[in-house]
Protein backbone atom coordinates (compact mmCIF):
# COMPACT_ATOMS: atom_id res chain seq x y z
CA UNK A 1 0.00 0.00 0.00
CA UNK A 2 1.21 3.50 -0.78
CA UNK A 3 1.89 5.91 2.05
CA UNK A 4 -1.10 8.15 2.85
CA UNK A 5 -1.50 11.87 2.33
CA UNK A 6 -2.87 13.59 5.43
CA UNK A 7 -5.08 16.58 4.58
CA UNK A 8 -5.81 19.16 7.27
CA UNK A 9 -8.47 21.81 6.75
CA UNK A 10 -8.44 25.01 8.79
CA UNK A 11 -11.43 26.92 10.15
CA UNK A 12 -12.08 29.14 7.14
CA UNK A 13 -11.85 26.09 4.86
CA UNK A 14 -14.84 24.50 6.63
CA UNK A 15 -16.74 27.59 7.65
CA UNK A 16 -19.94 26.82 5.67
CA UNK A 17 -21.57 24.42 3.21
CA UNK A 18 -20.06 26.15 0.22
CA UNK A 19 -16.51 25.74 1.56
CA UNK A 20 -17.21 22.13 2.53
CA UNK A 21 -18.16 21.44 -1.07
CA UNK A 22 -14.79 22.88 -2.10
CA UNK A 23 -13.08 20.65 0.45
CA UNK A 24 -14.81 17.60 -1.01
CA UNK A 25 -13.82 18.69 -4.54
CA UNK A 26 -10.20 19.18 -3.44
CA UNK A 27 -10.08 15.71 -1.89
CA UNK A 28 -11.63 14.23 -5.04
CA UNK A 29 -9.03 15.98 -7.19
CA UNK A 30 -6.10 14.90 -5.05
CA UNK A 31 -7.35 11.29 -5.16
CA UNK A 32 -7.49 11.46 -8.94
CA UNK A 33 -3.93 12.75 -9.04
CA UNK A 34 -2.43 10.54 -6.33
CA UNK A 35 -3.27 6.94 -5.66
CA UNK A 36 -2.28 7.33 -2.00
CA UNK A 37 -4.70 6.60 0.84
CA UNK A 38 -6.25 9.69 2.43
CA UNK A 39 -6.50 10.80 6.06
CA UNK A 40 -8.46 13.95 6.90
CA UNK A 41 -8.10 16.17 9.95
CA UNK A 42 -10.41 19.11 10.43
CA UNK A 43 -10.56 22.24 12.54
CA UNK A 44 -13.77 23.66 13.91
CA UNK A 45 -15.66 26.01 11.59
CA UNK A 46 -14.20 29.53 11.71
CA UNK A 47 -15.09 31.36 14.92
CA UNK A 48 -16.58 28.33 16.70
CA UNK A 49 -13.66 27.71 19.08
CA UNK A 50 -13.71 31.37 20.10
CA UNK A 51 -17.42 31.05 20.84
CA UNK A 52 -16.83 27.91 22.90
CA UNK A 53 -13.98 29.59 24.78
CA UNK A 54 -16.33 32.47 25.57
CA UNK A 55 -19.08 30.22 26.97
CA UNK A 56 -20.24 30.96 30.50
CA UNK A 57 -23.18 29.49 32.37
CA UNK A 58 -25.26 32.62 31.63
CA UNK A 59 -24.49 32.61 27.88
CA UNK A 60 -24.73 28.85 27.47
CA UNK A 61 -28.27 28.62 26.12
CA UNK A 62 -27.98 31.40 23.58
CA UNK A 63 -24.54 30.42 22.24
CA UNK A 64 -25.26 26.70 21.97
CA UNK A 65 -28.55 27.48 20.20
CA UNK A 66 -26.61 29.50 17.60
CA UNK A 67 -23.98 26.79 17.20
CA UNK A 68 -26.63 24.10 16.83
CA UNK A 69 -28.47 25.98 14.14
CA UNK A 70 -25.24 26.89 12.28
CA UNK A 71 -24.15 23.25 12.07
CA UNK A 72 -27.59 21.92 11.23
CA UNK A 73 -27.93 24.55 8.53
CA UNK A 74 -24.69 23.32 6.97
CA UNK A 75 -26.12 19.79 7.04
CA UNK A 76 -29.30 21.08 5.39
CA UNK A 77 -27.46 22.97 2.69
CA UNK A 78 -25.37 19.92 1.95
CA UNK A 79 -28.64 18.00 1.46
CA UNK A 80 -27.85 15.36 4.09
CA UNK A 81 -30.62 12.90 4.94
CA UNK A 82 -33.25 13.46 7.67
CA UNK A 83 -32.10 10.34 9.49
CA UNK A 84 -28.48 11.52 9.47
CA UNK A 85 -29.48 14.99 10.68
CA UNK A 86 -31.49 13.52 13.55
CA UNK A 87 -28.47 11.45 14.64
CA UNK A 88 -26.27 14.51 14.25
CA UNK A 89 -28.59 16.64 16.40
CA UNK A 90 -28.35 13.94 19.08
CA UNK A 91 -24.53 14.03 18.72
CA UNK A 92 -24.67 17.81 19.22
CA UNK A 93 -26.82 17.43 22.31
CA UNK A 94 -24.50 14.84 23.80
CA UNK A 95 -21.61 17.28 23.38
CA UNK A 96 -23.23 20.59 24.27
CA UNK A 97 -26.79 19.84 25.39
CA UNK A 98 -26.25 20.74 29.00
CA UNK A 99 -24.07 23.29 30.69
CA UNK A 100 -21.58 21.13 32.61
CA UNK A 101 -20.99 21.49 36.31
CA UNK A 102 -17.49 22.93 36.63
CA UNK A 103 -17.81 25.61 33.95
CA UNK A 104 -18.49 28.25 36.55
CA UNK A 105 -15.17 27.55 38.29
CA UNK A 106 -13.17 27.18 35.08
CA UNK A 107 -12.15 23.62 35.81
CA UNK A 108 -9.53 22.93 33.10
CA UNK A 109 -10.82 19.41 32.37
CA UNK A 110 -14.33 20.76 31.79
CA UNK A 111 -13.06 23.64 29.67
CA UNK A 112 -10.95 21.31 27.50
CA UNK A 113 -13.87 19.04 26.72
CA UNK A 114 -16.04 22.04 25.78
CA UNK A 115 -13.43 23.93 23.75
CA UNK A 116 -12.74 20.77 21.74
CA UNK A 117 -16.38 20.38 20.65
CA UNK A 118 -16.04 22.51 17.50
CA UNK A 119 -13.77 19.91 15.87
CA UNK A 120 -15.99 17.07 17.10
CA UNK A 121 -18.93 18.79 15.42
CA UNK A 122 -17.16 19.42 12.12
CA UNK A 123 -15.49 16.04 11.58
CA UNK A 124 -18.75 14.01 11.25
CA UNK A 125 -20.22 16.69 8.94
CA UNK A 126 -17.22 16.56 6.66
CA UNK A 127 -17.22 12.74 6.71
CA UNK A 128 -20.87 12.70 5.67
CA UNK A 129 -20.29 15.28 2.94
CA UNK A 130 -17.66 12.90 1.54
CA UNK A 131 -19.98 9.88 1.84
CA UNK A 132 -22.62 11.81 -0.05
CA UNK A 133 -20.07 12.46 -2.81
CA UNK A 134 -19.47 8.72 -3.10
CA UNK A 135 -16.41 8.22 -0.88
CA UNK A 136 -16.05 5.58 1.82
CA UNK A 137 -15.41 8.12 4.54
CA UNK A 138 -15.78 7.48 8.24
CA UNK A 139 -15.74 9.77 11.27
CA UNK A 140 -13.33 8.44 13.87
CA UNK A 141 -12.85 9.97 17.32
CA UNK A 142 -9.29 11.26 17.46
CA UNK A 143 -9.11 11.92 21.20
CA UNK A 144 -8.23 8.32 22.17
CA UNK A 145 -5.49 8.23 19.52
CA UNK A 146 -3.37 11.19 20.66
CA UNK A 147 -1.97 10.66 24.15
CA UNK A 148 -1.05 13.74 26.15
CA UNK A 149 -0.16 14.75 29.67
CA UNK A 150 -2.60 16.46 32.04
CA UNK A 151 -2.10 20.09 30.99
CA UNK A 152 -5.66 20.13 29.76
CA UNK A 153 -5.72 23.30 27.68
CA UNK A 154 -2.29 23.06 26.11
CA UNK A 155 -1.10 19.54 26.72
CA UNK A 156 2.25 17.97 25.85
CA UNK A 157 1.98 15.06 23.44
CA UNK A 158 3.49 11.63 24.07
CA UNK A 159 4.48 11.09 20.46
CA UNK A 160 5.63 7.47 20.74
CA UNK A 161 2.38 6.28 22.35
CA UNK A 162 0.30 8.39 19.96
CA UNK A 163 2.07 6.97 16.91
CA UNK A 164 1.46 3.42 18.10
CA UNK A 165 -2.22 4.12 18.82
CA UNK A 166 -2.74 5.87 15.48
CA UNK A 167 -1.08 3.09 13.50
CA UNK A 168 -3.16 0.44 15.32
CA UNK A 169 -6.42 2.31 14.69
CA UNK A 170 -5.89 3.54 11.14
CA UNK A 171 -3.52 1.32 9.21
CA UNK A 172 -6.04 -1.46 8.68
CA UNK A 173 -8.78 0.83 7.35
CA UNK A 174 -6.70 3.06 5.08
CA UNK A 175 -6.83 0.67 2.15
CA UNK A 176 -10.58 1.04 1.70
CA UNK A 177 -11.77 4.01 3.79
CA UNK A 178 -11.01 7.67 4.44
CA UNK A 179 -10.85 8.38 8.17
CA UNK A 180 -12.04 11.87 9.09
CA UNK A 181 -10.80 13.05 12.47
CA UNK A 182 -11.03 16.10 14.69
CA UNK A 183 -7.88 18.17 15.09
CA UNK A 184 -6.94 20.00 18.29
CA UNK A 185 -7.92 17.24 20.75
CA UNK A 186 -6.20 14.36 22.47
CA UNK A 187 -6.64 12.58 25.76
CA UNK A 188 -4.65 11.86 28.89
CA UNK A 189 -3.92 8.46 30.42
CA UNK A 190 -7.31 8.52 32.20
CA UNK A 191 -9.08 9.02 28.88
CA UNK A 192 -10.18 12.61 29.55
CA UNK A 193 -10.16 14.99 26.58
CA UNK A 194 -7.22 17.40 26.44
CA UNK A 195 -6.28 20.12 23.94
CA UNK A 196 -3.09 20.70 21.98
CA UNK A 197 -3.30 24.50 22.41
CA UNK A 198 -4.93 27.15 20.24
CA UNK A 199 -4.33 26.61 16.54
CA UNK A 200 -3.32 23.05 17.39
CA UNK A 201 -5.03 21.27 14.50
CA UNK A 202 -1.92 21.69 12.35
CA UNK A 203 0.00 19.89 15.06
CA UNK A 204 -2.65 17.12 15.12
CA UNK A 205 -2.21 16.70 11.38
CA UNK A 206 1.52 16.14 11.66
CA UNK A 207 1.06 13.73 14.59
CA UNK A 208 -1.31 11.73 12.35
CA UNK A 209 1.25 12.11 9.56
CA UNK A 210 3.88 10.56 11.82
CA UNK A 211 1.51 7.82 13.06
CA UNK A 212 0.55 6.73 9.54
CA UNK A 213 4.04 7.26 8.08
CA UNK A 214 2.48 9.67 5.60
CA UNK A 215 3.95 10.53 2.26
CA UNK A 216 3.03 14.19 2.83
CA UNK A 217 0.88 16.31 5.15
CA UNK A 218 -1.11 19.02 3.38
CA UNK A 219 -2.25 21.99 5.46
CA UNK A 220 -5.18 23.57 3.59
CA UNK A 221 -5.81 27.17 4.56
CA UNK A 222 -6.93 30.56 3.22
CA UNK A 223 -3.65 31.74 1.62
CA UNK A 224 -1.56 30.29 -1.22
CA UNK A 225 1.31 29.22 1.04
CA UNK A 226 4.02 30.79 3.17
CA UNK A 227 4.96 34.32 2.19
CA UNK A 228 7.90 36.53 3.10
CA UNK A 229 5.49 38.34 5.47
CA UNK A 230 1.86 37.89 6.53
CA UNK A 231 0.06 38.50 3.21
CA UNK A 232 -2.97 39.83 5.02
CA UNK A 233 -0.96 42.84 6.19
CA UNK A 234 1.76 43.00 3.54
CA UNK A 235 0.15 42.75 0.15
CA UNK A 236 3.49 42.90 -1.62
CA UNK A 237 5.05 39.98 0.21
CA UNK A 238 6.34 37.13 -1.97
CA UNK A 239 5.09 33.57 -1.97
CA UNK A 240 7.83 31.03 -1.24
CA UNK A 241 7.90 27.77 -3.19
CA UNK A 242 9.94 25.84 -0.65
CA UNK A 243 11.23 26.41 2.84
CA UNK A 244 12.99 24.21 5.37
CA UNK A 245 11.52 22.63 8.49
CA UNK A 246 13.87 24.76 10.59
CA UNK A 247 12.73 27.98 8.97
CA UNK A 248 9.06 27.24 9.28
CA UNK A 249 9.45 26.23 12.93
CA UNK A 250 11.34 29.44 13.63
CA UNK A 251 8.86 31.61 11.70
CA UNK A 252 5.90 29.93 13.41
CA UNK A 253 7.43 30.31 16.86
CA UNK A 254 7.99 34.01 16.22
CA UNK A 255 4.42 34.68 15.16
CA UNK A 256 3.69 33.41 11.62
CA UNK A 257 0.25 32.01 12.32
CA UNK A 258 0.13 30.02 9.09
CA UNK A 259 1.31 26.88 10.91
CA UNK A 260 1.35 26.02 14.58
CA UNK A 261 4.95 26.12 15.88
CA UNK A 262 4.95 22.42 16.90
CA UNK A 263 3.74 21.16 13.51
CA UNK A 264 7.22 20.35 12.28
CA UNK A 265 8.35 18.44 15.37
CA UNK A 266 6.59 15.04 14.89
CA UNK A 267 8.02 14.83 11.37
CA UNK A 268 11.60 15.84 12.11
CA UNK A 269 12.93 12.29 12.10
CA UNK A 270 10.91 11.26 9.07
CA UNK A 271 10.99 11.94 5.35
CA UNK A 272 7.38 13.17 5.41
CA UNK A 273 7.11 16.67 3.99
CA UNK A 274 4.50 19.33 4.68
CA UNK A 275 2.71 21.39 2.09
CA UNK A 276 0.64 24.55 2.65
CA UNK A 277 -2.21 24.92 0.14
CA UNK A 278 -5.09 27.26 -0.50
CA UNK A 279 -8.52 25.60 -0.27
CA UNK A 280 -9.86 28.16 -2.71
CA UNK A 281 -7.03 27.78 -5.25
CA UNK A 282 -6.19 24.08 -5.16
CA UNK A 283 -4.49 24.16 -8.56
CA UNK A 284 -1.67 26.28 -7.11
CA UNK A 285 1.33 24.30 -5.85
CA UNK A 286 1.50 26.03 -2.46
CA UNK A 287 4.62 25.97 -0.30
CA UNK A 288 6.57 22.78 0.32
CA UNK A 289 8.16 22.50 3.77
CA UNK A 290 10.96 19.96 3.55
CA UNK A 291 14.33 19.14 5.10
CA UNK A 292 16.56 20.27 2.24
CA UNK A 293 14.79 22.77 -0.03
CA UNK A 294 16.05 22.73 -3.61
CA UNK A 295 14.21 25.84 -4.71
CA UNK A 296 14.60 28.20 -1.76
CA UNK A 297 16.04 31.39 -3.24
CA UNK A 298 17.50 34.22 -1.17
CA UNK A 299 14.29 35.68 0.25
CA UNK A 300 14.02 36.42 3.94
CA UNK A 301 10.86 35.75 5.95
CA UNK A 302 9.73 38.34 8.49
CA UNK A 303 7.36 37.64 11.35
CA UNK A 304 6.22 39.59 14.36
CA UNK A 305 4.90 39.08 17.86
CA UNK A 306 3.12 42.12 19.17
CA UNK A 307 2.07 43.01 22.69
CA UNK A 308 5.52 42.30 24.11
CA UNK A 309 7.20 43.77 27.19
CA UNK A 310 10.97 44.05 27.49
CA UNK A 311 12.35 43.75 30.97
CA UNK A 312 15.95 44.72 31.64
CA UNK A 313 17.63 43.77 34.87
CA UNK A 314 20.78 45.78 35.34
CA UNK A 315 23.47 46.78 37.77
CA UNK A 316 27.25 46.90 38.00
CA UNK A 317 27.06 44.32 40.76
CA UNK A 318 26.15 41.73 38.17
CA UNK A 319 29.48 41.88 36.37
CA UNK A 320 31.50 38.73 36.70
CA UNK A 321 29.10 37.11 39.16
CA UNK A 322 28.63 33.51 38.10
CA UNK A 323 25.10 32.26 37.61
CA UNK A 324 23.41 35.66 37.24
CA UNK A 325 21.45 34.64 34.17
CA UNK A 326 20.45 31.30 35.64
CA UNK A 327 19.18 32.92 38.83
CA UNK A 328 17.19 35.59 36.97
CA UNK A 329 15.66 33.07 34.58
CA UNK A 330 14.99 30.65 37.39
CA UNK A 331 12.87 33.34 39.05
CA UNK A 332 11.00 34.05 35.83
CA UNK A 333 10.28 30.44 35.11
CA UNK A 334 9.03 29.95 38.66
CA UNK A 335 6.38 32.57 37.87
CA UNK A 336 5.21 30.43 34.92
CA UNK A 337 6.20 33.04 32.35
CA UNK A 338 7.52 32.02 28.96
CA UNK A 339 10.56 34.03 27.87
CA UNK A 340 10.29 34.78 24.16
CA UNK A 341 13.73 36.21 23.60
CA UNK A 342 16.88 36.99 25.59
CA UNK A 343 19.54 39.54 24.92
CA UNK A 344 22.58 40.03 27.13
CA UNK A 345 25.14 42.69 26.50
CA UNK A 346 28.76 41.57 26.55
CA UNK A 347 29.56 43.81 29.49
CA UNK A 348 27.15 41.60 31.47
CA UNK A 349 25.65 44.35 33.52
CA UNK A 350 22.34 44.11 31.72
CA UNK A 351 20.13 41.16 30.94
CA UNK A 352 17.11 41.95 28.79
CA UNK A 353 14.34 39.59 27.99
CA UNK A 354 11.06 39.74 26.16
CA UNK A 355 7.81 38.37 27.54
CA UNK A 356 4.17 38.71 26.60
CA UNK A 357 2.61 41.89 27.97
CA UNK A 358 0.05 39.89 29.94
CA UNK A 359 2.85 38.15 31.88
CA UNK A 360 4.48 41.41 32.97
CA UNK A 361 2.80 41.95 36.34
CA UNK A 362 3.45 38.47 37.65
CA UNK A 363 7.04 38.49 36.37
CA UNK A 364 7.86 41.81 38.03
CA UNK A 365 6.31 40.63 41.23
CA UNK A 366 8.47 37.49 41.18
CA UNK A 367 11.67 39.44 40.37
CA UNK A 368 11.09 42.06 43.05
CA UNK A 369 10.25 39.46 45.63
CA UNK A 370 12.81 36.76 44.87
CA UNK A 371 15.76 39.02 43.99
CA UNK A 372 15.27 41.23 47.02
CA UNK A 373 18.68 40.23 48.44
CA UNK A 374 20.48 41.38 45.30
CA UNK A 375 18.47 44.55 45.10
CA UNK A 376 18.21 45.78 48.66
CA UNK A 377 21.02 44.18 50.66
CA UNK A 378 23.81 43.61 48.18
CA UNK A 379 22.88 46.30 45.65
CA UNK A 380 23.99 44.15 42.77
CA UNK A 381 20.89 45.11 40.86
CA UNK A 382 20.12 48.79 40.76
CA UNK A 383 17.35 48.84 38.22
CA UNK A 384 14.60 46.82 36.60
CA UNK A 385 13.52 48.69 33.51
CA UNK A 386 10.42 47.91 31.50
CA UNK A 387 9.45 48.85 27.96
CA UNK A 388 5.86 48.02 27.12
CA UNK A 389 3.97 47.90 23.82
CA UNK A 390 6.95 46.51 21.99
CA UNK A 391 7.11 43.91 19.27
CA UNK A 392 9.61 41.24 18.37
CA UNK A 393 10.31 41.36 14.68
CA UNK A 394 12.10 38.23 13.55
CA UNK A 395 13.85 37.77 10.25
CA UNK A 396 14.20 34.11 9.30
CA UNK A 397 16.29 32.65 6.51
CA UNK A 398 18.14 29.39 6.06
CA UNK A 399 20.40 31.24 3.67
CA UNK A 400 21.36 33.72 6.37
CA UNK A 401 23.84 31.28 7.84
CA UNK A 402 27.40 32.15 6.95
CA UNK A 403 26.23 34.94 4.67
CA UNK A 404 27.81 38.19 5.60
CA UNK A 405 25.73 41.27 5.16
CA UNK A 406 22.26 40.03 6.16
CA UNK A 407 22.43 41.79 9.50
CA UNK A 408 23.83 44.83 7.71
CA UNK A 409 20.88 44.84 5.30
CA UNK A 410 18.40 44.59 8.16
CA UNK A 411 19.92 47.33 10.28
CA UNK A 412 20.54 49.73 7.46
CA UNK A 413 16.92 49.23 6.33
CA UNK A 414 15.75 50.08 9.85
CA UNK A 415 18.15 53.01 10.13
CA UNK A 416 17.04 54.50 6.83
CA UNK A 417 13.41 54.14 7.88
CA UNK A 418 14.19 55.93 11.15
CA UNK A 419 13.17 52.98 13.30
CA UNK A 420 14.64 52.71 16.76
CA UNK A 421 15.95 49.26 17.72
CA UNK A 422 15.24 48.53 21.37
CA UNK A 423 17.05 45.15 21.60
CA UNK A 424 18.59 42.53 19.36
CA UNK A 425 19.07 38.78 19.63
CA UNK A 426 20.48 36.40 17.13
CA UNK A 427 19.12 32.88 17.43
CA UNK A 428 21.86 30.38 18.19
CA UNK A 429 20.58 28.48 15.17
CA UNK A 430 21.75 31.32 12.92
CA UNK A 431 18.52 30.96 10.98
CA UNK A 432 17.03 34.03 12.53
CA UNK A 433 17.67 37.47 13.96
CA UNK A 434 15.14 39.01 16.33
CA UNK A 435 14.83 42.73 16.80
CA UNK A 436 12.65 44.51 19.30
CA UNK A 437 10.94 47.65 18.05
CA UNK A 438 8.04 49.80 19.13
CA UNK A 439 4.82 47.95 18.31
CA UNK A 440 3.51 50.90 16.34
CA UNK A 441 6.49 50.65 13.97
CA UNK A 442 6.35 46.94 13.15
CA UNK A 443 4.56 47.36 9.88
CA UNK A 444 6.99 49.97 8.57
CA UNK A 445 9.99 48.05 9.88
CA UNK A 446 8.85 44.87 8.11
CA UNK A 447 8.24 46.71 4.91
CA UNK A 448 11.63 48.43 5.03
CA UNK A 449 13.47 45.12 5.57
CA UNK A 450 11.58 43.32 2.80
CA UNK A 451 12.22 46.20 0.43
CA UNK A 452 15.94 46.36 1.17
CA UNK A 453 16.36 42.57 1.00
CA UNK A 454 14.46 42.37 -2.29
CA UNK A 455 11.83 40.10 -0.68
CA UNK A 456 8.80 42.14 -1.69
P1 LIG B 1 -6.44 28.15 9.45
O1 LIG B 1 -7.73 28.57 10.02
O2 LIG B 1 -6.55 27.58 8.08
O3 LIG B 1 -5.62 27.31 10.38
P2 LIG B 1 -4.87 30.47 10.18
O4 LIG B 1 -5.63 31.75 10.24
O5 LIG B 1 -4.51 29.79 11.44
O6 LIG B 1 -5.63 29.50 9.18
O7 LIG B 1 -3.51 30.70 9.35
C1 LIG B 1 -3.55 31.27 8.09
C2 LIG B 1 -3.19 32.74 8.20
O8 LIG B 1 -1.82 32.86 8.57
C3 LIG B 1 -3.27 33.52 6.90
O9 LIG B 1 -4.57 33.96 6.65
C4 LIG B 1 -2.29 34.65 7.13
O10 LIG B 1 -2.92 35.86 7.46
C5 LIG B 1 -1.47 34.22 8.33
N1 LIG B 1 -0.02 34.33 8.13
C6 LIG B 1 0.85 34.91 9.00
N2 LIG B 1 2.08 34.93 8.51
C7 LIG B 1 2.04 34.34 7.29
C8 LIG B 1 3.02 34.06 6.29
N3 LIG B 1 4.31 34.39 6.44
N4 LIG B 1 2.61 33.45 5.16
C9 LIG B 1 1.31 33.10 5.01
N5 LIG B 1 0.35 33.35 5.91
C10 LIG B 1 0.69 33.96 7.04
N1 LIG C 1 -10.12 25.31 16.46
C1 LIG C 1 -8.90 25.43 17.22
C2 LIG C 1 -8.56 26.90 17.43
O1 LIG C 1 -9.29 27.76 16.95
C3 LIG C 1 -7.76 24.69 16.62
C4 LIG C 1 -7.39 25.06 15.21
O2 LIG C 1 -8.19 25.66 14.48
O3 LIG C 1 -6.28 24.73 14.80
O4 LIG C 1 -7.62 27.19 18.11
MG1 LIG D 1 -4.35 27.75 12.02
Amino acid sequence: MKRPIVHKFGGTSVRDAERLRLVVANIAQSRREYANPTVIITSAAAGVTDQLVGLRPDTWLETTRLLRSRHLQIANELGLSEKWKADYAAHFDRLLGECPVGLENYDPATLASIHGCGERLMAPLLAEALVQAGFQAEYIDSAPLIRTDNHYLSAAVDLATSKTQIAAALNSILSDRIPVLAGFIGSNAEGHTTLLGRNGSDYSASIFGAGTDAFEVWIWTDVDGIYTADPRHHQHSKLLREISFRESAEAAYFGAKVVHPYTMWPLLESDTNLRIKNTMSPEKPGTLICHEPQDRGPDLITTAIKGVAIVTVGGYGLIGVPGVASRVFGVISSSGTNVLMISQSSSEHNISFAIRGEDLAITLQALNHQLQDWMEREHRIDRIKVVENAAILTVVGENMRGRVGVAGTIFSALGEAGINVIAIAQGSSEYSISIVVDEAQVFRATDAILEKAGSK
Side-chain angles (χ1 to χ4, degrees):
M1 194 176 68
K2 284 191 146 194
R3 294 164 73 191
I5 298 180
V6 175
H7 297 263
K8 176 264 171 176
F9 293 92
T12 49
S13 302
V14 295
R15 73 167 182 217
D16 54 26
E18 196 186 326
R19 288 289 162 85
L20 281 170
R21 277 192 278 268
L22 270 181
V23 166
V24 172
N26 292 347
I27 292 296
Q29 180 58 28
S30 96
R31 286 176 64 90
R32 278 192 292 276
E33 271 175 49
Y34 297 85
N36 306 63
T38 308
V39 176
I40 299 180
I41 313 297
T42 186
S43 287
V48 168
T49 310
D50 287 340
Q51 279 176 292
L52 294 168
V53 169
L55 270 173
R56 302 285 171 265
D58 58 331
T59 56
W60 183 272
L61 267 182
E62 175 60 7
T63 308
T64 54
R65 194 181 58 76
L66 290 172
L67 287 171
R68 198 174 196 272
S69 74
R70 175 171 176 188
H71 286 85
L72 282 168
Q73 187 183 343
I74 297 177
N76 260 332
E77 288 175 18
L78 290 172
L80 305 182
S81 73
E82 292 306 319
K83 159 87 177 76
W84 190 87
K85 282 188 288 188
D87 289 347
Y88 184 69
H91 171 66
F92 185 100
D93 293 339
R94 272 194 301 277
L95 292 175
L96 292 170
E98 259 173 56
C99 182
V101 184
L103 182 60
E104 65 282 10
N105 11 308
Y106 305 103
D107 164 42
T110 309
L111 295 179
S113 69
I114 293 170
H115 299 177
C117 283
E119 275 69 11
R120 284 182 151 141
L121 289 172
M122 185 46 66
L125 257 180
L126 176 52
E128 192 60 14
L130 285 158
V131 168
Q132 201 198 27
F135 294 101
Q136 300 268 20
E138 188 180 330
Y139 165 56
I140 292 179
D141 187 9
S142 56
L145 306 186
I146 295 187
R147 169 68 65 81
T148 75
D149 69 5
N150 289 332
H151 289 94
Y152 279 94
L153 299 177
S154 193
V157 171
D158 171 350
L159 187 60
T161 306
S162 305
K163 279 167 74 170
T164 309
Q165 294 181 156
I166 290 168
L170 299 190
N171 285 354
S172 60
I173 68 170
L174 282 175
S175 58
D176 61 351
R177 272 167 288 165
I178 302 177
V180 182
L181 303 114
F184 190 39
I185 57 175
S187 59
N188 62 12
E190 291 77 52
H192 298 305
T193 297
T194 56
L195 302 177
L196 308 191
R198 291 306 304 268
N199 263 307
S201 293
D202 301 328
Y203 185 24
S204 307
S206 66
I207 296 166
F208 278 98
T212 58
D213 188 27
F215 161 60
E216 282 185 0
V217 175
W218 293 14
I219 309 280
W220 293 87
T221 182
D222 56 359
V223 288
D224 287 348
I226 298 186
Y227 288 75
T228 53
D230 186 341
R232 206 164 293 286
H233 300 118
H234 297 272
Q235 281 152 13
H236 300 293
S237 54
K238 271 194 209 167
L239 180 65
L240 298 164
R241 293 294 300 267
E242 291 187 9
I243 71 168
S244 71
F245 269 60
R246 290 180 286 256
E247 289 176 292
S248 82
E250 202 89 342
Y253 176 78
F254 284 107
K257 193 190 169 202
V258 62
V259 284
H260 185 282
Y262 297 164
T263 312
M264 281 48 70
W265 172 64
L267 302 175
L268 280 182
E269 305 283 294
S270 74
D271 61 353
T272 305
N273 290 335
L274 286 147
R275 214 176 264 283
I276 312 294
K277 284 184 67 82
N278 190 338
T279 300
M280 284 160 296
S281 307
E283 69 294 345
K284 295 186 179 156
T287 299
L288 180 71
I289 305 174
C290 58
H291 290 286
E292 299 298 336
Q294 303 298 309
D295 185 15
R296 173 62 178 87
D299 287 317
L300 300 174
I301 306 167
T302 54
T303 62
I305 306 177
K306 292 191 184 173
V308 165
I310 309 298
V311 180
T312 302
V313 178
Y316 286 98
L318 297 178
I319 300 178
V321 178
V324 169
S326 78
R327 176 142 188 233
V328 171
F329 291 113
V331 169
I332 299 163
S333 82
S334 74
S335 74
T337 296
N338 181 24
V339 174
L340 300 168
M341 185 191 120
I342 301 169
S343 138
Q344 180 167 25
S345 66
S346 53
S347 68
E348 284 186 40
H349 63 261
N350 273 334
I351 302 174
S352 295
F353 54 91
I355 56 177
R356 291 188 194 278
E358 63 259 29
D359 294 332
L360 181 62
I362 189 165
T363 305
L364 288 179
Q365 200 186 9
L367 288 172
N368 284 321
H369 181 66
Q370 294 183 49
L371 296 181
Q372 216 171 11
D373 54 340
W374 276 4
M375 286 197 286
E376 288 170 16
R377 277 205 313 280
E378 300 173 32
H379 303 289
R380 287 182 193 283
I381 295 174
D382 54 32
R383 59 193 175 270
I384 295 183
K385 208 180 97 195
V386 176
V387 178
E388 286 185 83
N389 303 320
I392 302 177
L393 199 166
T394 301
V395 183
V396 179
E398 181 88 17
N399 41 33
M400 207 182 250
R401 194 164 44 141
R403 206 174 95 190
V404 281
V406 175
T409 306
I410 295 170
F411 293 109
S412 64
L414 295 175
E416 284 160 26
I419 288 158
N420 179 36
V421 173
I422 301 169
I424 304 167
Q426 168 147 29
S428 56
S429 63
E430 294 185 51
Y431 304 120
S432 72
I433 296 179
S434 292
I435 302 142
V436 178
V437 296
D438 183 341
E439 191 178 65
Q441 295 189 315
V442 171
F443 181 86
R444 267 193 336 110
T446 303
D447 222 42
I449 292 169
L450 291 182
E451 177 85 52
K452 190 99 184 165
S455 299
K456 242 172 101 168

